[in-house]
Amino acid sequence: MDVLGRRRATSRWQAVWLVAALAVVAIVVEVVVSGVRWPGGPLGLGGEGRAEACISVVGDEVVAFGQQVQPTADLEVERAELLDTQGVELVDVVVMPLRGDAVAIGAMRLAGIEGDGPDGEGIPWDERVPAQGARLQAGTRYDVVVLLRGVGTTGVLRVEYRSGGARYAAEGIIVFELARSCA
């Protein structure tokens, strides 16, 4: 093989190595930018198994399901979503602190929370903030409230968050059902 042939062969191998190195760099950058989300972490959404919650709906009303949490470290919520919704619209996900004798939502009609009736008594609804971007403090109780509309079912609540420089994802155990009549 002459000198020119060796240079071409060397150039091809260098090009192959360069492409391979760039591919590895691209994968590393993607993992760092998108972030690996680890299970576990300082936010628990209910433990093991599954639970069902049903509320009867009338017309096109919005209903609320709350799930209490108490993080063990400070965190910031990046995203909150419901998995596997069928016939149900996710209107919003909000977070509100539960200090002192504050009452958690459980399952309620939104009109009962926002109105002056006894349903909303003791609920710190005016302190709610959008879940996305919410900063939760360690040791404080919160109610993560999912606002839904329609007739159908959902999967569990999934919350992606950051704490201590790491990214986590937590899934709840409650499956929500909105029906014309709960049996």
Side-chain angles (χ1 to χ4, degrees):
M1 185 182 291
D2 65 356
V3 173
L4 186 55
R6 278 189 235 147
R7 284 188 187 158
R8 284 185 191 150
T10 302
S11 294
R12 283 187 208 129
W13 280 110
Q14 287 173 339
V16 168
W17 280 106
L18 178 61
V19 169
L22 289 174
V24 169
V25 168
I27 291 169
V28 169
V29 168
E30 176 63 24
V31 167
V32 169
V33 170
S34 67
V36 174
R37 299 199 185 276
W38 303 102
L43 182 66
L45 287 175
E48 301 293 321
R50 289 281 183 258
E52 295 180 13
C54 181
I55 190 167
S56 299
V57 294
V58 177
D60 201 30
E61 72 181 331
V62 175
V63 296
F65 290 97
Q67 187 162 354
Q68 289 186 56
V69 298
Q70 187 169 354
T72 58
D74 292 352
L75 61 91
E76 181 178 351
V77 176
E78 294 183 326
R79 180 178 177 170
E81 64 183 340
L82 283 174
L83 304 178
D84 303 323
T85 60
Q86 297 175 9
V88 175
E89 172 194 356
L90 176 61
V91 176
D92 203 358
V93 181
V94 298
V95 177
M96 60 185 188
L98 297 174
R99 296 185 189 97
D101 295 334
V103 177
I105 291 210
M108 297 182 73
R109 290 174 170 70
L110 187 58
I113 301 168
E114 292 181 329
D116 295 328
D119 285 341
E121 193 171 315
I123 296 174
W125 190 243
D126 292 341
E127 295 182 50
R128 72 188 181 283
V129 296
Q132 186 170 345
R135 295 178 185 269
L136 281 57
Q137 296 177 339
T140 301
R141 285 185 320 126
Y142 295 89
D143 206 1
V144 179
V145 182
V146 179
L147 301 173
L148 305 170
R149 178 180 317 167
V151 174
T153 60
T154 74
V156 297
L157 175 65
R158 176 180 170 89
V159 176
E160 297 176 1
Y161 61 97
R162 238 181 232 275
S163 179
R167 298 172 100 173
Y168 299 95
E171 290 185 4
I173 63 167
I174 301 173
V175 176
F176 305 104
E177 179 181 1
L178 281 67
R180 294 294 175 213
S181 176
C182 294

